[in-house]
Amino acid sequence: MKPILYSYWHSSCSWRVRTALHWKNIPYETRAVNLLKPESGQHSAEYLAINPTAHVPTLFIDGKNIIESIAILHYLEETRPLPALLPQDAYERAKVREIVEIIASGIQPLPNRKVQKRVEHDKRLEWVQHWVNSGFRALEEKLYTTAGKYCVGDEVSMADCCLLPQVFNARNSQVDMRQYPIISRIVSELEMIPAFIAAHPHNQPDCPTELSGK
Amino acid sequence: MKPILYSYWHSSCSWRVRTALHWKNIPYETRAVNLLKPESGQHSAEYLAINPTAHVPTLFIDGKNIIESIAILHYLEETRPLPALLPQDAYERAKVREIVEIIASGIQPLPNRKVQKRVEHDKRLEWVQHWVNSGFRALEEKLYTTAGKYCVGDEVSMADCCLLPQVFNARNSQVDMRQYPIISRIVSELEMIPAFIAAHPHNQPDCPTELSGK
């Protein structure tokens, strides 16, 4: 039985996990959770029984549901270690996890849809841009000390799985990415990798057809 | 040479790491970063050179600076595995990391001081309580399926290192903890453990004397 990924095409946290599944060549089925229709989507009784946070993604794998994207990435790494998404050396692993956390705890939670709803309507774009720029400024500095071809050296890692989706969102919010040359250079590498392309929002079964171009 | 922890007494992320250091019996020195005086604290040139996010904590250990609290917890676990803060089994580890992430990405980033500053003054308490309650409701549900004496079964883990500081902050924001009997029961256990006591804000060298009671 294939793993089942509860996912929303536009969700950056879902994209992180989709990338890891493709990177590790793990076939899976997508079960779409429509975040724009919470009653039948993330707040349905059926989904809340699986994931009490009402967030996506959830991965059903090895007979169990696992929630929270970074927890899922680590589970995949520990049960299906190759191809790897973490280096072997403890300090190199720390570098990957530092970047993961800068994105997953320092950036993603603040501009997201759920939080925007509690900010005055005409201040939402400014809110999003403020937090993304403040996070990306720190991230750009950090990457100056860690990056090679990718976020940490020349091997793809969990950090890259987190970076591309965040930049996709930033572009959608008209963040001027010319301020971040290292981030931009890494992203242009990632956008050529098959696992990242397969995991792209526009290539998901629940993406609206006018965007998916199918 | 002892590790150096750049820390602020009241910071929940610093508390997570202080607990792990005490739990693993790693002697360390505290270097206080005063978040209330950003010019000489987290935004000083000296600190930004160490940690470009301007967040605490940073741990200088094994000749390197490591930033981001969960990355630090993992580095300590991988280089000083005993006493452990992660179970051996991959799925049990996933349970710990799910809870870590619910707190570290789902709760902590939203009510924190930096974000509050961008919310209208008279709406700040409501903002904090909204995000803490919304996160704790999901966490309470999750813990119903994972908890024993502590967050995951009967062994202290990284999840517990994250839980107690978040509850301390919640109490300071007058969140009614009677809504969360499982969280409250676990916290009452953690409050009796020497490593958690030693790491408590009131026992830090930079805690104001009127609170430290020294």
Side-chain angles (χ1 to χ4, degrees):
Chain A
M1 188 181 171
K2 279 189 203 170
I4 298 167
L5 183 67
Y6 296 84
S7 163
Y8 178 61
W9 66 283
H10 204 277
S11 144
S12 65
C13 299
S14 298
W15 189 353
R16 296 171 188 164
V17 174
R18 292 193 301 252
T19 304
L21 289 165
H22 285 282
W23 181 256
K24 290 177 175 291
N25 305 305
I26 303 167
Y28 68 97
E29 284 177 22
T30 297
R31 200 153 302 174
V33 178
N34 189 343
L35 300 189
L36 301 187
K37 294 186 176 169
E39 297 300 307
S40 58
Q42 74 272 32
H43 287 293
S44 67
E46 187 194 11
Y47 190 67
L48 285 174
I50 292 168
N51 187 332
T53 69
H55 296 164
V56 285
T58 300
L59 184 66
F60 179 77
I61 189 167
D62 302 334
K64 297 136 189 158
N65 286 305
I66 304 183
I67 69 171
E68 297 291 329
S69 61
I70 310 305
I72 297 172
L73 295 186
H74 277 86
Y75 181 81
L76 293 176
E77 189 72 7
E78 293 181 350
T79 58
R80 283 109 172 135
L82 295 176
L85 285 171
L86 277 178
Q88 286 302 305
D89 174 74
Y91 180 55
E92 296 298 309
R93 293 159 79 89
K95 289 185 195 170
V96 170
R97 291 190 177 112
E98 288 174 326
I99 294 164
V100 165
E101 198 170 344
I102 289 174
I103 298 171
S105 295
I107 303 177
Q108 191 277 337
L110 290 160
N112 85 16
R113 198 187 308 266
K114 190 175 76 168
V115 179
Q116 280 187 51
K117 278 190 191 161
R118 298 190 70 89
V119 175
E120 277 177 65
H121 203 282
D122 63 348
K123 291 185 177 165
R124 286 182 191 173
L125 187 63
E126 184 197 340
W127 174 274
V128 170
Q129 292 184 341
H130 171 81
W131 294 116
V132 173
N133 279 316
S134 131
F136 275 8
R137 274 194 296 272
L139 183 59
E140 182 81 5
E141 287 288 317
K142 184 70 193 171
L143 289 169
Y144 182 78
T145 66
T146 65
K149 191 170 179 185
Y150 306 116
C151 284
V152 177
D154 295 329
E155 302 293 335
V156 169
S157 72
M158 290 181 187
D160 301 294
C161 296
C162 295
L163 182 66
L164 180 56
Q166 206 61 53
V167 170
F168 176 81
N169 282 0
R171 288 177 184 148
N172 285 341
S173 301
Q174 299 137 54
V175 169
D176 180 1
M177 289 303 301
R178 289 171 301 182
Q179 303 169 85
Y180 312 111
I182 304 174
I183 295 175
S184 298
R185 181 181 55 67
I186 296 167
V187 159
S188 69
E189 294 286 348
L190 299 176
E191 286 177 320
M192 294 188 294
I193 298 175
F196 288 79
I197 295 169
H200 190 287
H202 293 177
N203 295 327
Q204 302 318 305
D206 55 331
C207 177
T209 44
E210 65 273 23
L211 287 171
S212 76
K214 279 180 187 161
Chain B
M1 188 180 170
K2 277 189 204 172
I4 297 167
L5 183 68
Y6 296 84
S7 161
Y8 179 60
W9 66 283
H10 204 276
S11 144
S12 65
C13 299
S14 299
W15 189 353
R16 295 171 187 165
V17 173
R18 293 193 302 251
T19 304
L21 289 165
H22 284 284
W23 181 256
K24 290 177 175 291
N25 306 306
I26 304 167
Y28 68 95
E29 284 176 23
T30 298
R31 199 151 305 172
V33 178
N34 188 343
L35 299 188
L36 301 186
K37 294 186 174 169
E39 297 299 307
S40 58
Q42 73 271 33
H43 287 293
S44 67
E46 186 195 13
Y47 190 66
L48 285 175
I50 292 168
N51 186 333
T53 68
H55 295 164
V56 285
T58 300
L59 184 65
F60 180 77
I61 190 166
D62 302 334
K64 298 135 187 160
N65 286 306
I66 305 183
I67 69 172
E68 298 291 331
S69 61
I70 310 305
I72 297 171
L73 295 186
H74 277 87
Y75 180 82
L76 293 176
E77 189 72 8
E78 293 182 349
T79 58
R80 283 110 172 134
L82 295 176
L85 284 170
L86 276 178
Q88 286 301 305
D89 174 73
Y91 180 56
E92 295 298 308
R93 292 159 80 89
K95 288 185 196 172
V96 170
R97 292 190 177 112
E98 288 174 324
I99 294 164
V100 165
E101 198 170 345
I102 289 174
I103 298 171
S105 295
I107 303 177
Q108 190 278 336
L110 292 160
N112 85 16
R113 197 187 311 266
K114 190 175 77 169
V115 178
Q116 281 187 50
K117 277 190 190 159
R118 297 190 70 88
V119 175
E120 278 178 65
H121 203 281
D122 63 349
K123 292 184 177 165
R124 285 182 190 172
L125 187 63
E126 183 198 341
W127 173 274
V128 170
Q129 292 184 341
H130 172 80
W131 295 115
V132 174
N133 279 315
S134 132
F136 275 9
R137 274 192 296 272
L139 184 58
E140 182 82 6
E141 287 288 317
K142 183 70 192 171
L143 289 168
Y144 182 78
T145 66
T146 65
K149 191 170 177 184
Y150 306 116
C151 283
V152 178
D154 294 329
E155 302 293 335
V156 168
S157 72
M158 290 182 187
D160 301 295
C161 295
C162 295
L163 181 65
L164 179 56
Q166 206 61 53
V167 170
F168 176 80
N169 282 0
R171 287 177 185 150
N172 285 341
S173 301
Q174 298 137 54
V175 169
D176 180 1
M177 290 303 300
R178 289 171 301 182
Q179 302 169 84
Y180 311 112
I182 303 174
I183 295 175
S184 298
R185 180 180 54 68
I186 295 167
V187 159
S188 69
E189 295 286 348
L190 299 176
E191 286 178 321
M192 294 187 295
I193 298 174
F196 288 79
I197 296 169
H200 189 288
H202 293 176
N203 296 327
Q204 302 317 307
D206 55 330
C207 177
T209 44
E210 65 272 23
L211 287 169
S212 77
K214 278 178 188 163

